[in-house]
Amino acid sequence: MTTPAFSAWDHQMMSRALQLAAKGRFTTSPNPRVGCVIVQDGEIVGEGFHYRAGEPHAEVYALREAGEKAKGATAYVTLEPCSHYGRTPPCAEALINAGVGEVICAMVDPNPLVGGKGLAMLEAQGIRTRHGLLQTEAEALNPAFIKKMTVNRPFVRLKMAASLDGKTALANGESKWITGAAARSDVQVWRAQADAILSTSGTVRADDPMLNVRWEQLPPSIQQQYPRSELRQPVRVIVDRHQTLTPTYQCLREAADPVHLLHLGTSEHTWADNIATHQLADERIDSVMSYLASANLNHIFVEAGATFAGALLAAQAVDELVLYLAPKLMGGDSRSLLGALGLSAMDQVIDLKFTDVRLVGDDIRIIATPIYR
Ligand SMILES: NC(=O)c1ccc[n+]([C@@H]2O[C@H](COP(=O)([O-])OP(=O)(O)OC[C@H]3O[C@@H](n4cnc5c(N)ncnc54)[C@H](OP(=O)(O)O)[C@@H]3O)[C@@H](O)[C@H]2O)c1
């Protein structure tokens, strides 16, 4: 029998570090969510998580709490400790200076500036390192950071709401409200985690939405952990290639929160100061993705209609689909969930892997990952 690389205790400690890391899910971007637990003689002596870019990393908070007890201790970190000087000194150095005996991390840092160098620094000082413990769970905490670091593209989560027969609006365009209050509150949680909400001229013209986070609509458990004063409004990015929008729409009137309007040519209107216009390189979805990456908007929540959703999926730009299915039937002449994909053979259909299915209020919420060919 082979000895398992990690014990049940190791799993327990890394689970705690992952729990701590998740506390940063509304605030750390563009930095990753990271948690750290320091254990001495079977007892947790220090805990920490990264809260916001520019503030100390998880290891620093945990080491501060551990003090002298960090000597010879085991540090469990959800991401490889950094090895480079950013806005804060390298965490690998802090762990070395504190005299820890072993570092166990869930995943190696996909940041090419780190990429194993943090572990090498520790090993070079005689500190034992192991990695790969609860790696899948750690990766799930940081999809946007990983995608940015590996392919320099944003992580795109597409939200759609439909009746059980896959319809998003009546034939006359009426669509409010298909889903219930709990699902709409759930949407606020996704919005609050995103760097940007991506929408379109079509949706703004049809619904005149605000596309912001409404703290009072977040579930009470999240309000407790994420006070109103800490609320970060995601940037609103609106694709308006052919300049059909005017400053009269709610989200384009003067307001403090930023909006990025993406056009094909130079803008024909004078906009309020919070609205920045950008010229897309061309008509393709990839030019939108390329703009988002260049603006360091890495975690995107898409709220748009069937046309844009279909275009995003056809361009293989969607990483995750969040689909709310309401217990309603809207009938054959209502509008479908997706615009025409123009498929003519079954081997062209987009396959999905369901990763989570649950009831949210009276609605079904399905989270699925497209499997592109
Ligand atoms: N159920 C839901 O989850 C949900 C969510 C939001 C909206 N809606 C509903 O959806 C309806 C609006 O849907 P819609 O289909 O008219 O609008 P849409 O899908 O939101 O947006 C379509 C627009 O996106 C722009 N676009 C940019 N790049 C594109 C590309 N590569 N390919 C195609 N279009 C691209 C085009 O406008 P430009 O050419 O001007 O760029 C196009 O007219 C409304 O009734 C709204 O209530 C439903």
Side-chain angles (χ1 to χ4, degrees), residues 29-47:
S29 181
N31 281 3
R33 295 125 184 198
V34 186
C36 176
V37 170
I38 296 180
V39 175
Q40 178 71 274
D41 296 330
E43 187 200 337
I44 295 179
V45 292
E47 289 189 337

Side-chain angles (χ1 to χ4, degrees), residues 33-293:
R33 295 125 184 198
V34 186
C36 176
V37 170
I38 296 180
V39 175
Q40 178 71 274
D41 296 330
E43 187 200 337
I44 295 179
V45 292
E47 289 189 337
F49 67 96
H50 184 47
Y51 187 65
R52 209 186 332 249
E55 294 183 10
H57 291 181
E59 297 91 323
V60 172
Y61 286 118
L63 287 171
R64 270 186 205 163
E65 195 176 299
E68 280 302 302
K69 291 184 179 163
K71 276 204 171 33
T74 301
Y76 295 85
V77 201
T78 58
L79 181 70
E80 175 187 3
C82 63
S83 56
H84 62 298
Y85 280 86
R87 278 183 275 189
T88 56
C91 291
E93 200 173 279
L95 289 161
I96 293 165
N97 293 341
V100 301
E102 180 172 14
V103 175
I104 298 180
C105 41
M107 61 181 284
V108 172
D109 193 334
N111 182 349
L113 285 174
V114 186
K117 295 193 191 88
L119 294 179
M121 259 173 93
L122 295 163
E123 290 276 351
Q125 296 302 317
I127 296 170
R128 184 179 181 212
T129 70
R130 286 184 285 161
H131 63 88
L133 174 59
L134 297 180
Q135 179 164 334
T136 308
E137 289 78 356
E139 286 170 353
L141 263 178
N142 284 308
F145 176 74
I146 295 170
K147 195 159 176 208
K148 173 73 176 181
M149 290 299 162
T150 50
V151 293
N152 194 27
R153 277 291 180 271
F155 171 83
V156 176
R157 181 175 274 143
L158 169 66
K159 167 245 154 185
M160 302 214 75
S163 59
L164 191 59
D165 53 342
K167 305 295 177 182
T168 56
L170 293 175
N172 65 11
E174 203 187 321
S175 65
K176 276 185 179 167
W177 297 104
I178 295 176
T179 49
R184 297 206 297 277
S185 170
D186 198 49
V187 166
Q188 295 290 323
V189 182
W190 294 117
R191 284 185 178 178
Q193 293 179 64
D195 295 335
I197 295 174
L198 177 63
S199 192
T200 68
S201 55
T203 287
V204 171
R205 282 197 311 271
D207 297 346
D208 198 10
M210 283 299 289
L211 299 172
N212 58 2
V213 181
R214 292 185 286 276
W215 186 86
E216 58 285 355
Q217 287 179 23
L218 290 169
S221 58
I222 301 220
Q223 289 177 351
Q224 276 163 17
Q225 185 210 318
Y226 182 52
R228 190 192 286 272
S229 56
E230 294 293 294
L231 183 72
R232 266 181 9 154
Q233 284 295 349
V235 172
R236 291 165 289 181
V237 179
I238 298 170
V239 187
D240 178 28
R241 295 176 307 176
H242 301 104
Q243 308 205 30
T244 57
L245 297 179
T246 56
T248 51
Y249 291 98
Q250 281 200 88
C251 64
L252 299 172
R253 287 192 208 130
E254 196 153 1
D257 300 318
V259 181
H260 296 195
L261 263 183
L262 309 187
H263 296 319
L264 274 174
T266 47
S267 183
E268 290 158 8
H269 291 287
T270 305
W271 299 96
D273 289 346
N274 61 310
I275 296 169
T277 60
H278 298 274
Q279 220 173 314
L280 288 169
D282 56 46
E283 293 238 332
R284 292 171 314 130
I285 289 291
D286 193 57
S287 67
V288 176
M289 296 302 132
S290 162
Y291 168 73
L292 294 167

